[in-house]
Amino acid sequence: MRKILITGALGQIGSELAVKMRGIYGNDNVIMSDLQAKDTHKDLIESGPFETIDVLDTKKMAEVIDKYNINTVVNLAAILSAVGEKNPALCWNINMNGLYNVLELGREKNLSIFTPSSIAVFGESTPADKTPQDTIMRPSTMYGVTKVSGELLCDYYYQKFGVDTRGVRFPGLISYDTLPGGGTTDYAVHIYYDALKQKEYTSFIDKGTQMDMMYMPDALNAIIELMEADGDKLIHRNAFNITAMSFDPEEIAASIKKYIPEFKLNYDVDPVRQAIANSWPNSLDDSAARAQWGWNPQFDLDKMTQDMLEKLRIKLDIK
Ligand code: NAD
Ligand code: SER
């Protein structure tokens, strides 16, 4: 039976992953943790075990792992791309030293470890269309540098110490539960909120900028399916390209207009986030994930738009 610790569990992914995992593995077998309890997630925190853990504090993390007999860690504590460019030192410290601490505990305590990587591992010199699984990785952001280094570190702990490390390169994730934590793809979440609230959105990403994206239910399935996959069939382990769709701001706006015809898209491009977006692929080749563990996303752009608008209408109480 898995006993799972999720770090950074109150973020965009963790807040939904914890609920899904508790449904599968049992409420008391999924321990949520984050830097501190957040008022925004009071009900979630009170719904099962929660511990305050800074991933830079190895001693506290080890105590929690022992207290609950943890055998699996999903390490979601991280600083994302846009925040990382504002504070590169913090991004390096949390993304690298936090991961190192988790991996060291994995080696000592024989843990299985899942750590997401990102499309941010790629850079200007990477082939931008149908970006291959194995290709040039020369990122231009501190976030990307930590994600490439993290993939290598996870590979190292598997090869040298036999730690069962696994991971995927997530594209931009779109969800209605918890707002994204400061990335470049966040526009594709905010656009739905503003479409419902004011029938208008001003995008900080320019028209024509294609990026890979995925709806949260597919992302959660990816984590669980890869964690549960037969390890003998995994060749890449820590760095599977996965994607569900690729679009630019005009295409997501066109999808929203099918449900809100008066919706209007404006632009006020942010040069920092635009430069990051320009350095990332237009579309990923995810055939290795499909072949090695059966990756098969369920949501395309229109199906996601319909569900996002339905769920957000309820959340925001908008008729
Ligand atoms: P998020 O920013 O929403 O959440 C991260 C959480 O980590 C926050 O709750 C934050 O409080 C916590 N945290 C920060 N510093 C910490 C520390 N020192 N100790 C413990 N917790 C700390 O991020 P997310 O979107 O949930 O991303 C989770 C993982 O998935 C990250 O590794 C990220 O790089 C990766 N990822 C996310 C996306 C996306 O679109 N959301 C895409 C690709 C990869
Ligand atoms: N959504 C993430 C970001 O924009 C991609 O890793 O930072």
Side-chain angles (χ1 to χ4, degrees):
M1 171 55 84
R2 284 197 190 270
K3 280 276 200 175
I4 302 165
L5 172 67
I6 306 177
T7 71
L10 297 180
Q12 189 191 4
I13 300 177
S15 56
E16 293 198 44
L17 181 67
V19 174
K20 181 158 178 113
M21 284 187 150
R22 282 178 172 168
I24 296 170
Y25 301 103
N27 219 46
D28 293 340
N29 293 324
V30 179
I31 288 72
M32 298 182 71
S33 72
D34 209 297
L35 266 184
Q36 59 199 20
K38 297 179 188 170
D39 288 344
T40 44
H41 291 87
K42 201 164 172 289
D43 291 348
L44 184 57
I45 289 164
E46 286 169 1
S47 73
F50 178 87
E51 296 279 346
T52 302
I53 299 179
D54 181 340
V55 286
L56 300 178
D57 183 350
T58 323
K59 187 166 170 284
K60 175 75 189 283
M61 197 154 36
E63 282 167 12
V64 172
I65 286 169
D66 290 343
K67 175 177 168 189
Y68 294 96
N69 291 315
I70 298 293
N71 54 28
T72 303
V73 176
V74 181
N75 181 36
L76 301 180
I79 301 297
L80 277 78
S81 60
V83 177
E85 286 312 279
K86 285 195 190 127
N87 196 339
L90 179 73
C91 183
W92 175 266
N93 195 19
I94 290 170
N95 296 11
M96 292 316 304
N97 293 323
L99 175 59
Y100 177 79
N101 292 341
V102 170
L103 289 168
E104 268 297 286
L105 290 171
R107 183 173 67 79
E108 278 170 29
K109 297 176 186 293
N110 195 24
L111 308 173
S112 297
I113 297 169
F114 185 96
T115 309
S117 185
S118 162
I119 50 171
V121 293
F122 301 117
E124 300 278 5
S125 52
T126 303
D129 295 307
K130 283 277 160 205
T131 302
Q133 173 67 43
D134 298 307
T135 187
I136 300 165
M137 293 195 294
R138 308 281 300 171
S140 52
T141 60
M142 178 56 90
Y143 176 65
V145 169
T146 68
K147 287 295 172 185
V148 176
S149 310
E151 287 183 6
L152 295 173
L153 200 57
C154 289
D155 281 348
Y156 182 85
Y157 270 74
Y158 172 65
Q159 286 153 7
K160 291 281 172 183
F161 307 124
V163 178
D164 182 8
T165 54
R166 302 184 185 198
V168 293
R169 292 175 183 143
F170 276 132
L173 299 182
I174 294 158
S175 63
Y176 55 84
D177 191 16
T178 300
L179 282 167
T184 303
T185 56
D186 297 9
Y187 92 89
V189 178
H190 298 148
I191 194 170
Y192 287 108
Y193 280 78
D194 283 8
L196 283 171
K197 283 187 197 163
Q198 56 214 36
K199 315 235 176 308
E200 190 168 355
Y201 176 68
T202 301
S203 173
F204 59 79
I205 293 295
D206 208 356
K207 75 170 64 159
T209 311
Q210 295 277 337
M211 284 187 278
D212 288 277
M213 301 279 177
M214 184 180 295
Y215 197 32
M216 189 59 85
D218 280 328
L220 303 183
N221 285 339
I223 294 173
I224 292 162
E225 284 165 15
L226 179 53
M227 273 177 49
E228 297 300 345
D230 179 353
D232 292 341
K233 297 201 173 124
L234 302 180
I235 299 164
H236 293 87
R237 296 198 78 93
N238 291 299
F240 284 98
N241 281 3
I242 58 169
T243 186
M245 60 193 94
S246 168
F247 56 74
D248 86 326
E250 295 289 316
E251 288 166 294
I252 187 171
S255 181
I256 290 171
K257 277 183 193 165
K258 289 178 186 167
Y259 302 91
I260 306 174
E262 63 273 44
F263 176 66
K264 191 163 170 280
L265 179 59
N266 312 303
Y267 292 93
D268 181 11
V269 174
D270 168 21
V272 175
R273 285 176 287 185
Q274 184 61 41
I276 297 174
N278 288 344
S279 76
W280 290 354
N282 298 329
S283 63
L284 295 185
D285 172 0
D286 61 3
S287 52
R290 289 175 185 268
Q292 290 174 41
W293 50 276
W295 164 243
N296 185 21
Q298 302 303 305
F299 284 86
D300 62 14
L301 175 54
D302 282 341
K303 195 171 167 196
M304 173 177 78
T305 296
Q306 187 184 6
D307 200 59
M308 269 297 279
L309 293 175
E310 263 174 39
K311 300 285 170 33
L312 273 181
R313 269 186 211 284
I314 298 166
K315 177 177 173 176
L316 302 173
D317 195 19
I318 293 174
K319 298 287 170 283

